[in-house]
Every structure is written in C-alpha cells, then in structure tokens.
Amino acid sequence: MSKIRVLPEFLANKIAAGEVVERPASVVKELLENSIDAGARSIEVEAVAGGKRMIRIEDDGEGMSSDDALLAFERHATSKLQRSDDLMEIATLGFRGEALPSIASVSRLVLETRSESGETGSCVEIAGGRMQSVKEIARSRGTTVTVRDLFFNIPARKKFLKSESTELGHIVNCITQYALAHPESRFLLRSAGSELFHFQPVTSAAQRVFQVMGGELANQLIEVQSQVPVFYQEEAENDQFRQYREEIRVSGFVSKPEVHKLNRNSLFFFVNRRMVRDKILLHALNEAYRNILPAGIFPVAILFLEMPFREVDVNVHPSKVEVRFRHQSLVHDLLRDTVRKSLMQARPQASFPAAHRLSSEMEADSPFDAPAVEDLPLEATTQSTPSVGGAPPAFGLAPLSPTPSSARLPFGSASDAVDSLQVDGPGTKPKQPLHQDLAIHREPAPAGSSVDERALQSLSAEQRSAMEVVPLGQIDNSFIVAADRGALLLIDQHVAHERILFEKVLKQRETGGVQSQRLLLPILIELTPRQQVILENIMPELESCGFEAEPFGRKTIAVKAAPADLSTADVQRLLPELLEGLDKETQALNLGRLREKIAASIACHAAIKVNTPLDQAKMRWLIDALYKTQYPMSCPHGRPIVLRYERHDILKAFKRI
C-alpha cells in the first residue's frame, strides 16, 4: 500500500495559511494589497480586539463579478499573471492567488463585492474553508471583506497571538507603511469605535510624511533624490538586437544627524511601492551614516526605489517582504551615495564617534535598548571607557569599585532643599584650582567640607567614603574633579545625578509617595498612531509614576501633571522618546522592567545637564547622595559614573617611578 497520499484541499489550505497568515496584521496586509491592486482610492479598515475577533476592510476598487468572487477562493487563482514570463516582471503587490483561500481556511470570512458593470453585488460566506452561502446583494462598486474569529479552528496557532494592543500595533504599522507608499489614496483605521487615524489623499510624498510622522519630525527630514541609467538589449527582427535605456531612481527622506532613534522602527524601504526588508538596503543606509551617527543609534528614513520590474525578483518569500535585486552592487551604491551626498549638502557636523556617543547619551536621549545595570555581570560594569575626547586614556582608568554589599545602606533621601538641586547662574563661585598636590598627603579640604576624624569613625562605610572625597572643581562644567585618599576622581555629574534620581523614583513608586506637580497649562503632545497604542498599554504605570494625561483630539494628548523633578521642556521630550523606545519586544517585558525604564527616562531628563556650573556645596551634595545609592558605580543605562586615577598611576605617568 502506498505511503504517499494527496492532502485534502482543506488541509492544504491550512498549511498554506501557516506561511501566509502569521497574525491579524498578515490578514490586513494581504487584503490591503488586493485593494490597492484593484485601483482603490479609499480604504477603510476596522479592527476589533486587535484584529483577533474581527477585521473588516472596505475599498472602492474595481470589484468582482459573481463568477470571479467564487473563483477567487480557489488556490492559485489570480488575475495578475497570464503567462510564465510575467513572473519576470511582476507589477502588482499580489500575484500568487493564495491569500483569500488561506485566510478563509482559518477564519469565518464574508466577501461582499460588485464590479462597475454588474447590476447587483455578490456575497460569499466561508467558514474554515467550507462554503456556507452565496447570494446576491445590493451595494456600490468595490469590495468589503470581513474576517472574524481568526484561527478559530486552529487553537494551537491562536494561543501564540500576543495581546490586543500588541496585535493592533502591528496593524497600525502595516497600514502606515502602505499609506506612505500610496499618498494618492485615503486610509482610515478604526478600533474600539474610534478613529486611530484618517489620512486624506495628498499630492506628494512629503505631505503624506507630514500626515503620518507629524510636523516636528517632518521638519527634521532631508529630501533625497537621484537616479542611474541601466541598459538593456533584446532580440528584434532579422536576428538584430535593439538596445534601450531605463533608470533606477531613489527618492524619499532621511533625518538629520541630530535626530536619534533607538530602534529600526522608523526605517521604511519601498521597492516599486512595495514595503520590503532587505539587508542590502539597510547596509547601504548604515554606510551612508557611518561616522555621522554612533553605533546603536538609527536615523529616520523613508526611501523609495523605482526600477524596471525585471530588475527585482519579489517571488522569494511567502509574505513577499524580501526581494532579490538583479544588480545588487548598483542598487547598494546608488542608495548609499544618494543619502550621503544629501547629508553632506545639508552640512551636518560629524563628531569623533566616541565623543559623539558620549555627548548624545548624556543629553536627554535615554538608550532603552541598553541592559539594566542590575542585569549585568560585575565585569561588565567595571571596564574602562574612552576619555571624553574619544582617544584612549594615557594610563590606567578604572571605574570606582563598588562598596561591599554588606556595608550598603538602603536608599537615603537628602533634604528637600538640596534634593531639588537648583543650579546657579553667572554668580557661581569660582572653581577650585586643579593643581593641588596629590603625592603624599592631602591638602586641607576647601572651606565648608572639612571633616572631623573622630566623627568619621561613627559613620557608615558609604558615608565615610563620601566624606573622604574632596571636590576640587569642574572640567568643562560637566565633570567633577575630586581627590580621594591620594587618587584623582572624574565624576560625570549628569549620570551621577541620574543614578540618584533613578533610585529615588523607584523608592517613591514602591512606597506610593511619588511627588507629582499639577501644570499651570496642559502640555499638548502629538503622537503617531503606534505611539498612541503603546501609551494606552503603559498608561497605568505612567500614572503611578506621577503623570496625568488624557486625549485631546485624535492624535494629541494633554499632559496635566508630571513628576515634580521634570520641567515643561523635559516632559515634552520624555514621553515621545519613551514611547519610541518601547518597541514590540519591550512591550513584552514584565512590569518591573517597564517600571525601571520609565524611572530611568524620568531620571535622565530631570538630571543635571552637561555644561552646568556647580558650586562647592552642590558638588559636595552630589557626591554624598551618590554614595548613598545602591549602585554608585553605574548609571541606569550601564555607563560608568566615576573614573578613578590611583596615586600609583599618576606617579607612573609622570615617570616618578
């Protein structure tokens, strides 16, 4: 008896659905592509429960006759390929004829459609791949597809779906991508009875970018445009060959170097208006920004490649998101050189990579992708780092050694008057000289910081260590120089204060004593559709950390209260950056990690900035408060706070030993 048998059609469709339909966003993608291929200029999408319960897509495309509506559910039935040579020049988004039968095999699907020439429309109902009913209906030209109970007959697939907000976020991303590629069409997304976005038709890509990304980001983008010719030769009559010329064009927008993103969510590549993920294009963009952006930081890019259809093969991946180029090097170099030239014409000032990385991170740019210090092994937090200028240190530089855990105090709060550290302006006291003798003995401490030796004995180890550190002055109003038992310390004042505030916020959050301030005037912040979804998911935790916000229109929120340490400008920067950092992987983190990320973002924005002069009392307070924290050696993002030059290293550097 033969062991090989032909699979039943319904089982073959379920297997095909495993390749095509991964999640609700996959359904939206396939149906959107059908609508766009049908010439739709208005597309409305509705999602219930993140698309798990229901997805409805309505368009005003050319529609189908009753015969075509039935034939569309046959496997590999398509109107977009006529002969095998058409595979070499695919001009449509869909072409395999697998989407509708695959979706219908794992859901309860209703198709309603009417063509321009049809007197009546058709309604086809299918559940789990089995035809339920076919009837005539009255409707306008176009097509409406309703998909309910996705994976109702495959529980094993259904349980792997994520939360409703996560799945809705994927749908938002999918529709946003097609909206960017087709500015001439109208896109509307509804969820839970409200509109998430409504993009009206526009005449240019720049206007659609403004709609999707918002005016603030759109103003930070640089337009790019270039083209290169490609030549073809084909056989003509009488064994003659005809040569002709076509072009590969690159256009779109990239961000200025000062616009930093912490993930690749803002990179959009379109090939013949098809959204793709391609390593060649990503590498070309990275090369264009080489020595302009530091590693781990990404730009915003919306790039369109237009080329002859024969130059690209889109039939290399079941979901059609990967492509293969006929001339990879040509496409790579064109994209790289086009973006690089546009950046150079905009005259960005590139810094030395190490220095650029330090300065950008010490500003209010919280790198959420970095692991928390508590999750790192001790060796990872005690490695030496480059000096501020980017060059390696001349002699041994080691971060401050951690205090033994047995000697650590629980979090201690400084007095309210000093804790709300106000920075002096032009009247700041002169800095202490940096040329004091560090060789054998310590010079007397500056006024106001002398220490009684007997009093030192009654203090804890942390307090003794802090009191023995004598602040001497600042470098560049950014780094505190201090002496500690014959050693020289360099303290990054921004990340030191960041560590202090980070633990303060966590402690207040645990005890329910978060200090919040009501704002005189609400702060209005414009969010992208994806940021709105993420905000709804984390809003309870934000409220517990002192924020109070409510919707103000369709794309804007009004912040009415914020943590007491934050200024208005800090709040305006913090929320968009926080939401940008919470990508799809971060949303899956537990509540504790989410709480730490929010606390780290609040601390980073509220901390003392670089280029801030501090007087002796404020440096003294900062050092004392730092030594009271649980982890005074690293900031919440893993960067060292203190660099220590031992006396032996100083003598060796001066050739004294």
Side-chain angles (χ1 to χ4, degrees), residues 559-570:
V559 181
K560 295 186 174 181
D565 292 320
L566 295 176
S567 67
T568 299
D570 290 330

Side-chain angles (χ1 to χ4, degrees), residues 390-621:
F395 48 86
L397 264 174
L400 181 67
S401 300
T403 311
S405 57
S406 60
R408 285 180 186 152
L409 285 177
F411 176 84
S413 59
S415 65
D416 292 339
V418 186
D419 197 43
S420 58
L421 193 63
Q422 299 296 320
V423 178
D424 288 347
T428 304
K429 296 179 182 179
K431 302 186 186 78
Q432 295 293 325
L434 303 183
H435 55 272
Q436 299 185 25
D437 182 17
L438 303 174
I440 304 300
H441 64 282
R442 177 186 299 177
E443 290 292 316
S449 62
S450 59
V451 180
D452 181 66
E453 293 297 328
R454 284 178 298 181
L456 270 176
Q457 302 304 318
S458 64
L459 299 176
S460 66
E462 288 92 339
Q463 290 172 319
R464 286 200 303 272
S465 297
M467 295 302 290
E468 290 176 354
V469 176
V470 181
L472 306 176
Q474 286 178 285
I475 296 177
D476 231 12
N477 287 336
S478 302
F479 302 92
I480 297 173
V481 182
D484 180 22
R485 291 161 293 181
L488 182 68
L489 304 184
L490 293 179
I491 304 172
D492 185 331
Q493 65 190 38
H494 172 74
V495 295
H497 197 208
E498 188 177 341
R499 164 55 65 180
I500 297 166
L501 294 177
F502 173 75
E503 294 194 6
K504 173 187 171 185
V505 171
L506 287 182
K507 184 68 175 181
Q508 291 179 344
R509 174 66 180 83
E510 290 173 0
T511 59
V514 175
Q515 298 176 359
S516 181
Q517 60 180 349
R518 301 289 300 181
L519 302 177
L520 184 61
L521 294 175
I523 301 173
L524 301 182
I525 300 177
E526 184 179 352
L527 302 177
T528 65
R530 177 168 178 77
Q531 289 174 340
Q532 295 175 44
V533 173
I534 297 175
L535 178 65
E536 181 180 356
N537 200 28
I538 68 170
M539 197 62 218
E541 185 59 34
L542 286 175
E543 291 174 350
S544 299
C545 291
F547 286 93
E548 181 183 335
E550 63 182 23
F552 188 82
R554 195 166 60 241
K555 299 170 59 178
T556 306
I557 60 169
V559 181
K560 295 186 174 181
D565 292 320
L566 295 176
S567 67
T568 299
D570 290 330
V571 176
Q572 289 176 325
R573 292 194 302 266
L574 185 150
L575 283 177
E577 289 176 6
L578 176 64
L579 296 173
E580 187 68 29
L582 292 173
D583 54 13
K584 59 183 180 182
E585 291 81 14
T586 306
Q587 290 182 66
L589 294 176
N590 59 40
L591 183 60
R593 292 286 287 123
L594 175 63
R595 187 171 299 162
E596 289 178 358
K597 288 180 178 294
I598 294 175
S601 185
I602 294 173
C604 187
H605 285 78
I608 310 166
K609 301 300 188 290
V610 296
N611 300 319
T612 301
L614 303 178
D615 62 22
Q616 199 75 21
K618 289 169 185 173
M619 289 189 286
R620 176 76 269 163
W621 173 85

Side-chain angles (χ1 to χ4, degrees), residues 252-265:
F253 307 89
V254 296
S255 61
K256 298 176 182 177
E258 57 264 31
V259 178
H260 293 171
K261 297 296 180 181
L262 306 173
N263 51 48
R264 296 185 178 92
N265 288 347

